Amino acid sequence: MTVDGRAAIDGRLMDADARLMLGARYGHFTAMQVRDRRVRGLDLHFARLEAAGRELFGAGPDRAAVLGSIRAVLGDDVRDASVRVYVVELDRADADRPAVIATAAPPHHLDTRPLRVTPVVYQRYLPHIKQASGFQQAHIGRLARRAGFDEALLTTGDGLISEGSITNVGAFAGGRLVWPEAPMLHGITMALLERLDVPQERRPLRVADLAGFDQVFLSNSWGVMAVGSVDGVPLRQDDKLMALLREHHDGVAGDPLD
């Protein structure tokens, strides 16, 4: 008898499809919030998957395959969920073609309290790609939470901010929206906020600069979150600016999945 390819988790044998995921070491993904079977910025998700697919595999995934995987994981009854779409290389017969895999979890409900963040010196390799393996960022985020923070800001050694471990960073100064001028993942929610009708610019942004802004915020697929402090140092809070950001984000119509 052969046991090639057999795997178990917590004492239970895994089925063949689950075992394939154990071989997923190379690829990319996108994360989205599904509400009433709609997704904000769905075309931006497709563009992200297309661009990363061309760079990593020579071609982007088929759009129909992406939608098919999302619909399959939602089934006919799930209308709200946190969905991830992975395009990954698997250990299988057609390994020259990456697999398109969707996962679903309960929907994330935004925490509206100001968040506590801490800077961590770390810069991602190929930061513009949302990479399927995320050990370093997951570890950084876990350490930040253990220390009592909600998120980590990824910086260079001299404090130049690029992004959060799972977020983009933005700030307002005198009515102008400022984004870091640094290598980063261009997030979907960031792209939606760039459509906001206010003056915007990119410039080098350091941790030491944050206390001088009218409002610092984070964004990801969950939405827009105020930053209340950095390493315990309080930051200014402007409810009107946060309302402006959230109203713009929430006002973006979701694109149908069906």
Side-chain angles (χ1 to χ4, degrees), residues 37 63-76 102 256-258:
R37 297 183 77 89
R63 181 174 293 208
V66 172
L67 281 174
S69 291
I70 295 173
R71 291 167 182 161
V73 78
L74 293 176
D76 296 327
L257 292 171
D258 296 322

Side-chain angles (χ1 to χ4, degrees), residues 10 18 22 224:
D10 293 336
L22 294 177
V224 187

